[in-house]
Structure formats: C-alpha cells, structure tokens
C-alpha cells in the first residue's frame, strides 16, 4: 500500500502497474481519468484497475490517496525476474 499526498492541481500522469490496483480517496478530491472516462472522486471513493490498465489522477483539491497493489509483485514485474 502506498499513501500519496497529492496537492491541488498536481497530477499522477497516465500510468499502469503490473499488479491489480485499488485506489482509495481518504481526503480531498481528485479526478480519475480511465481512457477518457472521468470520475469526480472524494473521500470514500474506491476504484479497481486490472493489471496494465491505464489511468491518470489529478487533484482538484489537496488530497490523500491510497494505492494498493496486489498481488505483489505482479506477473512481469522487474523484481519478479
């Protein structure tokens, strides 16, 4: 699990992971862009992404984001070699 403080206006550029990803918003607000489909997300929001599924996260106000990657490491992850 990774806790990320994302200040208003900051962006987690489009990315993907080798693992399934669970995104939880615990404070603030973000926009989650998944292939052009944008969700406005605040505290209590939970999203699930399959391995290699691309997404972008932009804080519309100061936010605390929790990113959980499981199982770790995912298939194809460099540390699994």
């Amino acid at each position: 699990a990774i806790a990320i403080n994302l200040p208003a206006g900051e962006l987690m550029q489009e990315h993907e992971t080798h693992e399934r990803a669970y995104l939880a918003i615990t404070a603030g607000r973000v926009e989650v862009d998944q292939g052009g489909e944008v969700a406005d997300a605040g505290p209590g929001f939970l999203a699930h992404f399959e391995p290699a599924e691309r997404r972008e996260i932009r804080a519309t106000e100061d936010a605390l984001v929790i990113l959980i990657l499981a199982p770790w490491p995912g298939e194809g992850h460099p540390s699994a070699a």
Side-chain angles (χ1 to χ4, degrees), residues 42-77:
F45 177 87
L46 178 66
H48 169 260
F49 304 96
E50 292 293 331
E53 193 171 2
R54 300 193 63 75
R55 66 260 178 194
E56 183 174 90
I57 303 160
R58 176 184 308 275
T60 55
E61 57 185 61
D62 291 349
L64 178 59
V65 175
I66 307 296
L67 187 62
I68 301 166
L69 305 176
W72 180 264
E75 188 173 319
H77 191 277

Side-chain angles (χ1 to χ4, degrees), residues 17-63:
T17 57
H18 293 280
E19 303 77 20
R20 282 189 172 79
Y22 299 87
L23 174 72
I25 309 305
T26 60
R29 295 204 79 76
V30 301
E31 291 178 341
V32 180
D33 185 338
Q34 184 179 9
E37 187 175 322
V38 179
D40 177 49
F45 177 87
L46 178 66
H48 169 260
F49 304 96
E50 292 293 331
E53 193 171 2
R54 300 193 63 75
R55 66 260 178 194
E56 183 174 90
I57 303 160
R58 176 184 308 275
T60 55
E61 57 185 61
D62 291 349

